């Protein structure tokens, strides 16, 4: 096969042809700034890290129904039919003995692009039809705090993040962009569902050329691209709320705040101001106060605050800010600061949560909702906020707070995970291992031997997208893309759909799960429903065969209208915000009524409990990796080329490296009370002193897998991070920041075995 065919991924659309065992991948012709991450696909599909055949853990086969430690690699390979029989019987046992509320099907993760073969949709549909339901998870690791907070204070996250300020508006209208956490191009490489064109570099370049001023507030200088020409404000991580409060203090005390805007469009500024001025706690939130916390010069804070007034100013916060303890506060305080500047709802002004964190934001909306696989009905009511997985497994029957409710953790016997990697996404991996030890059975479908697959009892090999046909599209992308099958399935791997169809048959649910359709028939069916909904708005698209042949078609786009914030500005009475007061809630009676000590009725400065206090301690920033999406295809060419001696690089500031006597390529051990990992030093001027930067995504590679707290020899930061919620309000993930120590690794260097498949009998 040598013809080029169309395909798509979360990091961009492409065409590809097969060259022996490799793919030759070219970015989609219309993409002005494609991502290097595409190169991870070159050597992926026939990589030895793929899972070749279904396997079962020997220890589990001998005594299943009993919780065990799963760190060993004692797998036995069995024929598909036999494994499916064993798994169907186990699902039936758990359901009959404990009910579907003993099955955790939250299965968080990004899976891959494709509307039909979307792993979680397949799993949830299967569990609903075959078992009657499952314990689910709500929210995500990305925006755990913002998803819960924003509806209380402004409106749904989508309205604040997605349908708000666009790159087009910034190019034309904005004077100043103040970006807390930046808008790194590495992050806008990605959008779930696929991207036909990466526009962010061009947009920042054009804006800058028109004279837009970019201010980057971040511990890392490369959180904005060169093209933005930004001023770098290198604050201490975790202290943005203090900086924002001090800027607000300057506005309030110098009478620079927009009183008319606060009066007309906001609720409760007068209840917040006494806190700001120090009348409540005796601590005025003045620049000198914030200077001690943020490490920034007090005059700089004053100048920054004044320089935002009277201009079309846009405040942006990266998602990273809220992926930390008290993560609700910077999201809320950024909204208050923007409200005091009065630019909300004006083109290119106000506040856009998350702009620049993903390529979903800052674009026009697709004018039709894309078809999705129907999920059926889940009869189980129990759920967890997604990052409370270890808490749930370790505390069955335990109580926890969430968004004004007191909920109970269910008692989970079986965990079914597909399309996600908890050993990538979750914090405190040693605690996670202990939590999984409490479960009777873990089932995983995976494309490759990820650490989660190694941790399962039943491992089923799944196809990659390049081995099946699908359709890709995103909510803010103007192109619907065909994902053509490029290669045959690897070894004995099967599509998740076909695996679930076989299981459903064994559990008497074949017809309701498949509705009698093959995968190809589902694709046509889903395309048909898109055709139907477009027709109702007077749009025509070619039929499925023509679309398939062409490889892509354009979808209608919504106008760039600023969404509900713009209409609220135009008419606050006729178009109120969907909050209790109908206004921006600087003060929320509702949140106040929950009585939480860690998130009150207005934004406040809380000092993080996990930041350096002693000499020798550093803040570890574990941000998103530039060479891959999360842990996906960590064995791919582009990802591997970024490693040093096969290990993940940790960036150390030039100043700290000199003081510690470290240079490029040195292997170091990063450690704290929770765990330790090895990484390779990269000295950098882009890192604030006192900060270390180890991005996420290196596959967890424990040196002694059966030990209690083994060293990860590959460089996974989540052996170090803390597993606590953002607050009682949202219980979001707090993985971004933690305190560590660093030392040169002495002794014999252990090999990296992360990508070697386990030995299988
Ligand atoms: N310390 C720290 N931790 C973090 C973060 C952080 O900032 N710091 N960020 C967090 C964030 S924002 C997120 S979103 C999470 C991401 O966490 P995840 O989404 O869990 O990470 P991925 O590596 O994308 O996992 C997707 C998995 O799905 C598999 N997969 C792909 N296609 C298929 C398929 O068709 N079928 C099956 N069965 N499997 C498939 C891939 O091989 C991969 O293993 O991580 C979070 N973790
Ligand atoms: N290449 C690539 N792109 C991705 C992803 C990926 O895995 N790879 N993942 C995607 C996903 S799922 C998501 S949710 C988004 C996540 O989007 P974000 O959460 O915004 O991404 P991060 O890279 O974790 O963090 C952005 C920057 O915030 C800065 N930062 C960290 N802590 C602080 C702080 O306390 N204050 C300030 N001012 N800055 C801080 C860090 O320097 C970091 O580089 O990225 C998406 N984009
Ligand atoms: Mo995310």
């Amino acid at each position: 096969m040598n013809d080029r065919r169309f395909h798509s991924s979360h990091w961009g659309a492409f065409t590809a042809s097969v060259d022996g065992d490799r793919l030759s991948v070219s970015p989609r012709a219309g993409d002005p700034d494609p991502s290097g991450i595409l190169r991870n696909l070159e050597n992926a599909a026939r990589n030895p890290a793929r899972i070749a055949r279904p396997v079962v853990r020997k220890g589990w086969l001998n005594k299943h129904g009993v919780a065990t430690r799963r760190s060993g690699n004692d797998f036995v390979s069995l024929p598909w039919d036999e494994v499916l029989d064993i798994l169907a019987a186990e699902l039936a046992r758990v359901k009959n003995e404990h009910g579907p509320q003993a099955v955790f099907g939250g299965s968080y993760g990004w899976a891959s692009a494709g509307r039909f073969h979307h792993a979680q949709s397949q799993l949830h549909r299967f569990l609903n039809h075959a078992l009657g339901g499952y314990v689910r998870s709500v929210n995500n690791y990305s925006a755990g705090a913002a998803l819960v907070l924003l509806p209380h204070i402004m409106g749904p996250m989508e309205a604040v993040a997605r349908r708000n300020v666009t790159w087009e508006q910034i190019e034309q209208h904005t004077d100043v962009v103040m970006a807390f956490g930046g808008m790194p191009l590495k992050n806008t490489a990605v959008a779930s569902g696929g991207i036909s064109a990466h526009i962010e570099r061009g947009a920042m370049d054009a804006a800058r050329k028109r004279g837009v001023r970019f201010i980057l507030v971040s511990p890392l200088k490369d959180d904005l691209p060169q093209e933005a020409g930004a001023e770098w404000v290198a604050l201490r991580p975790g202290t943005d709320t203090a900086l924002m409060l001090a800027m607000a203090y300057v506005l309030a005390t110098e009478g620079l705040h927009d009183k008319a805007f606060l009066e007309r469009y906001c609720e409760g500024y007068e209840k917040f101001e006494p806190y700001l001025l120090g009348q409540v706690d005796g601590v005025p939130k003045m620049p000198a106060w914030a200077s001690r916390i943020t490490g920034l010069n007090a005059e700089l804070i004053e100048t920054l605050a004044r320089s935002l007034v009277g201009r079309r100013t846009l405040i942006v916060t990266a998602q990273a800010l809220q992926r930390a303890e008290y993560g609700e506060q910077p999201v809320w305080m950024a909204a208050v600061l923007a409200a005091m500047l009065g630019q909300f709802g004006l083109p290119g002004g106000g506040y856009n949560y998350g702009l620049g964190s993903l390529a979903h934001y800052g674009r026009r909306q697709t004018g039709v909702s894309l078809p999705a696989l129907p999920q059926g009905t889940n009869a189980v009511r129990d759920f967890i906020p997604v990052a409370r997985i270890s808490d749930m497994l370790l505390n069955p029957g335990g109580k926890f707070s969430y968004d004004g409710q007191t909920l109970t953790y269910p008692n989970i016997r079986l965990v079914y995970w597909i399309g996600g990697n908890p050993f990538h996404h979750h914090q405190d991996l040693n605690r996670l291992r202990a939590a999984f030890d409490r479960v009777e059975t873990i089932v995983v479908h995976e494309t490759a031997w990820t650490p989660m697959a190694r941790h399962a009892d039943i491992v089923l090999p799944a196809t990659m997208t390049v081995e099946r046909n699908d359709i890709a599209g995103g909510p803010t992308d103007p192109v619907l893309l065909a994902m053509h099958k490029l290669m045959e399935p690897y070894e004995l791997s099967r599509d998740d759909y076909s695996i679930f169809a076989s299981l459903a048959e064994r559990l008497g649910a074949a017809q309701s799960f498949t509705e009698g359709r093959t995968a190809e028939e589902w694709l046509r069916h889903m395309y048909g429903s898109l055709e139907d909904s477009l027709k109702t708005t007077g749009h025509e698209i070619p039929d499925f065969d023509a679309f398939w042949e062409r490889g892509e078609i354009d979808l209608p786009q919504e106008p760039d209208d600023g969404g509900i914030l713009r209409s609220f500005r135009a008419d606050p009475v006729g178009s109120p915000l969907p909050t209790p007061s109908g206004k921006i809630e600087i003060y929320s009676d509702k949140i106040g009524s929950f009585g939480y000590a860690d998130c009150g009725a207005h934004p406040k400065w809380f000092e993080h409990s996990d930041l350096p206090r002693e000499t020798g301690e550093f803040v570890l920033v574990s941000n998103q990796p530039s060479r891959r999406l999360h842990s996906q295809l960590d064995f791919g060419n582009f990802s591997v080329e970024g490693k040093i001696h096969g290990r993940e690089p940790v960036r150390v500031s030039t100043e700290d490296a000199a003081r510690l006597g470290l240079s490029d390529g040195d292997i170091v051990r990063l450690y704290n009370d929770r765990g330790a990992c090895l990484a390779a030093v990269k000295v950098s001027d882009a890192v604030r002193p006192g900060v270390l930067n180890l991005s996420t995504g290196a596959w967890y590679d424990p040196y002694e897998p059966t030990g209690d707290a083994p060293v990860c020899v590959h460089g996974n930061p989540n052996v170090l991070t803390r597993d606590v919620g953002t607050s009682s309000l949202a219980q979001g993930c707090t993985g971004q920041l933690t305190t560590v120590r660093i030392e040169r690794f002495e002794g014999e260097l252990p090999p990296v075995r992360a990508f070697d498949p386990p030995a299988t009998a």
Side-chain angles (χ1 to χ4, degrees), residues 429-430 433 647 667-672 674-679 699-716 719-720 743 745 748-753:
L429 294 182
N430 288 313
R433 289 161 78 239
R647 275 155 246 259
I667 302 295
V668 287
R669 179 172 168 268
L670 305 175
Y671 63 100
N672 61 22
R674 288 171 291 280
C677 71
L678 304 187
W699 286 11
Y700 173 63
D701 188 358
Y703 182 54
E704 289 158 328
T706 50
D708 280 333
V711 178
C712 170
V713 301
H714 190 196
N716 184 323
V719 295
L720 301 162
E743 65 184 19
F745 178 77
E748 201 176 320
L749 198 55
V752 175
R753 294 169 299 195

Side-chain angles (χ1 to χ4, degrees), residues 108 112 170 175 290 380 392 404 429 450 509-510 523 541 567 569 572 676 723:
Y108 179 76
S112 17
I170 293 174
D175 297 322
V380 177
M392 169 182 74
L429 294 182
T450 64
L523 289 185
I541 48 170
S567 32
R569 174 144 201 147
D723 183 13

Side-chain angles (χ1 to χ4, degrees), residues 110 112 323 421 425 445-446 468 496 622 630-632 718:
W110 266 58
S112 17
R323 209 176 303 111
N421 180 3
H425 64 238
H445 305 184
E446 250 299 353
R468 60 200 188 212
D496 295 305
S622 63
H630 312 137
S631 68
Q632 294 191 36
N718 276 326

Side-chain angles (χ1 to χ4, degrees), residues 536-612:
T536 62
T537 56
H539 291 278
E540 293 281 339
I541 48 170
D543 67 16
F544 182 83
D545 293 311
F547 157 65
W548 201 250
E549 172 72 31
R550 225 185 272 181
E552 57 172 69
I553 51 165
D554 293 335
L555 293 174
Q557 295 297 103
E558 300 270 308
D560 182 17
D561 64 3
I564 63 169
L565 292 168
R566 180 86 53 88
S567 32
F568 168 63
R569 174 144 201 147
D571 181 6
V573 179
S575 305
L577 293 179
T579 59
S581 60
K583 298 181 174 184
I584 298 167
E585 301 223 345
I586 293 176
Y587 188 97
S588 163
D589 276 324
K590 180 89 182 285
I591 297 178
S593 77
F594 300 156
Y596 296 142
D598 48 6
C599 183
H602 61 73
K604 247 177 99 171
W605 166 246
F606 291 90
E607 192 175 53
H608 288 212
S609 57
D610 181 26
L611 284 178

Side-chain angles (χ1 to χ4, degrees), residues 338-408:
M340 292 173 78
L341 293 165
Q343 301 288 299
F344 261 101
L346 295 174
Y351 174 44
N352 201 119
Y353 169 79
L355 182 67
S357 290
L358 288 148
H360 289 296
Y361 307 141
R363 297 172 182 235
R364 295 184 187 224
Q365 312 294 301
T366 308
V368 62
S369 32
L370 298 172
L373 187 67
Q375 301 289 281
T377 312
N378 185 349
V380 177
R381 300 184 56 129
D382 298 293
F383 69 88
I384 54 164
V386 66
R388 300 278 51 82
I389 172 89
S390 294
D391 283 357
M392 169 182 74
L393 298 177
L394 291 167
N395 304 297
K399 304 258 184 262
F400 67 100
S401 303
Y402 170 70
D403 200 16
Q405 301 162 263
T406 301
L407 301 169
T408 306

Side-chain angles (χ1 to χ4, degrees), residues 633-662:
L633 310 183
D634 189 25
F635 51 82
N637 283 341
F638 192 58
S639 177
V640 167
E641 284 163 18
K643 301 194 192 251
I644 305 173
H645 309 311
R647 275 155 246 259
E648 202 57 26
V650 56
R651 294 201 295 171
V652 184
S653 73
T654 311
E655 190 180 313
D656 289 325
R659 198 166 43 78
L660 298 166
L662 294 172

